[in-house]
Amino acid sequence: MTLDQAELGRRLEELAREYRVPGASLAVHAGGRTVLAATGVLNRGTGVEATTDSLFQIGSITKTLTTTLVMQLVDEGLLDLDEPVVKVLPEFKVADPNVTASVTTRHLLTHTSGIQGDVFTDVGRGDDVLERFVARCADLGQSHPIGATQSYCNTGFGVAGRVIEVLTGKLWDTALREGLLAPLGMDRTFTLPEDVLRFRAAMGHLPVPDGGADDWPRPAPRWDVPRSAGPAGIVVGTAEDLVAFARMHLADGTATDGTRVLSAASARMMREPQVAVPDRWTIADHWGLGWFLPTWEGRALYGHDGGTIGQSAFLRVLPDRDVVIVLLTNGGRTRELFRAVANEVLPETAGLRVPEPPQPPAAPIPVDLADWYGSYERHHVRMDLAPGEDGTPELTVTVTEGLAGLDEPPHRMPLTAVDPDAGLFVTREQDFAAWTPVVLHTLGDGSRYIHFGGRATPRTG
């Protein structure tokens, strides 16, 4: 496949239709040029066409922007990643006083603080939103002991955003605009809905209940994410703007016009492995500062994904070939679409394919999980592992408070053993869906965790 815009657009259209993705915007940078394509509609309720300059929610890719702002503070000598957060935010506290006293910014950026991570408390729209969010952290417990393992933590980035505000004397939104968006020419990237409304913007779409492979998703009941989630995942922008951000990191902190945005040392530090990920099959085997760090066919990449209410975003950077892929979507089987699109682009541009995810073995592997059966719980999520009706292990996941308060029915998912010695199982709710890894992980002290969707959920009963 050549990086021809018409051909790229044709394949994107075909694949988006196959995976029932209503709308998508794609940007590929390779060979010194950026090619753009878009397909579908921004909202199946209105039929507005998706274009290459349409805005999509980038979700947690926002975290790489926030981390870059943090590293600018390191460059300026205003912040030490390994000093306790309370040195900058003396009012910060969580339920465990030892964690309050010792958690560092590095813990926050690498998802190793153990602080309950999926806190999306809406504390309003005022400019003091992050200050109020930090105050709400006082009662948060731990998913795991600080530094003991890795579990995805949105909460930590809200705290990091407040660190940015205190040390710059600016709102996080303003620091982002002045420190990154303006120098990089990202003039179609925003944090507030009143700015987004001036442009074409995607609406998220959610699956039809009990729908099949041929059913298209329907528009979500709401668009916005609480402003308190800003530094963790509120940014809205274009695929082309994200390429500009990624190219700055490829150039070790220098914008295309030569502007130094970040020191080379800090840019490189962000993509150095900081922690091994117990579930190395879902996204990556290591995490850096902000970036996750997958290895594909022995070659190092960095990137991040994002998910909001029915929108999904994907960013991958292959530094040894100066290749960047950005895919922004608004519902459907988005991860499968990204894999298919990347496998159209990468063989030619980088001599590489996306590794196949774990699959059930041809012959079932017998396992005895009696010692693992029980309840596992973290903030707003309960998991129950028990034998199903046919005796095979079944995981029931109940979201007790979803993103932005949206309710979800319990998810009942049978587990299939792939590599029991590594704790690796796979599951899926529907026959047409992609397999998802589930990892049973034991810490050094013997405590047991289920790693699923990037999160570590401890056994509680």
Side-chain angles (χ1 to χ4, degrees), residues 181-386:
L181 305 184
L184 294 176
M186 298 171 66
D187 56 4
R188 293 179 76 91
T189 299
F190 306 100
T191 59
L192 299 177
E194 52 265 39
D195 291 320
V196 174
L197 284 171
R198 297 184 290 126
F199 303 91
R200 287 174 179 261
M203 183 72 193
H205 294 72
L206 298 175
V208 177
D210 301 318
D214 294 330
D215 291 313
W216 287 88
R218 62 188 181 185
R222 63 180 295 174
W223 177 88
D224 61 312
V225 175
R227 191 180 180 188
S228 57
I234 207 173
V235 167
V236 183
T238 66
E240 186 175 21
D241 273 6
L242 275 180
V243 166
F245 171 71
R247 291 183 65 191
M248 178 271 290
H249 276 276
L250 273 173
D252 284 341
T254 303
T256 55
D257 66 359
T259 301
R260 172 61 67 181
V261 177
L262 186 67
S263 74
S266 286
R268 292 169 187 155
M269 188 186 303
M270 283 180 61
R271 53 185 188 261
E272 292 176 356
Q274 303 286 317
V275 59
V277 178
D279 175 9
R280 62 184 184 273
W281 298 274
T282 295
I283 296 177
D285 43 9
H286 288 84
W287 218 280
L289 296 172
W291 296 116
F292 60 59
L293 309 174
T295 302
W296 292 355
E297 297 181 0
R299 293 163 66 183
L301 291 84
Y302 54 95
H304 214 288
D305 294 342
T308 57
I309 305 172
Q311 298 196 47
S312 300
F314 305 87
L315 166 62
R316 297 293 185 277
V317 183
L318 187 62
D320 65 2
R321 292 291 184 90
D322 284 350
V323 170
V324 179
I325 299 179
V326 177
L327 178 67
L328 308 181
T329 64
N330 64 347
R333 291 153 60 192
T334 57
R335 187 164 296 279
E336 292 167 84
L337 174 63
F338 173 72
R339 175 180 299 278
V341 168
N343 279 334
E344 294 278 349
V345 171
L346 288 176
E348 179 181 340
T349 60
L352 183 68
R353 292 184 63 84
V354 182
E356 287 296 318
Q359 301 286 327
I365 301 173
V367 292
D368 181 3
L369 294 184
D371 289 345
W372 282 87
Y373 289 149
S375 298
Y376 299 73
E377 194 161 358
R378 57 184 168 81
H379 193 69
H380 296 330
V381 174
R382 188 181 72 249
M383 297 181 178
D384 296 292
L385 183 60

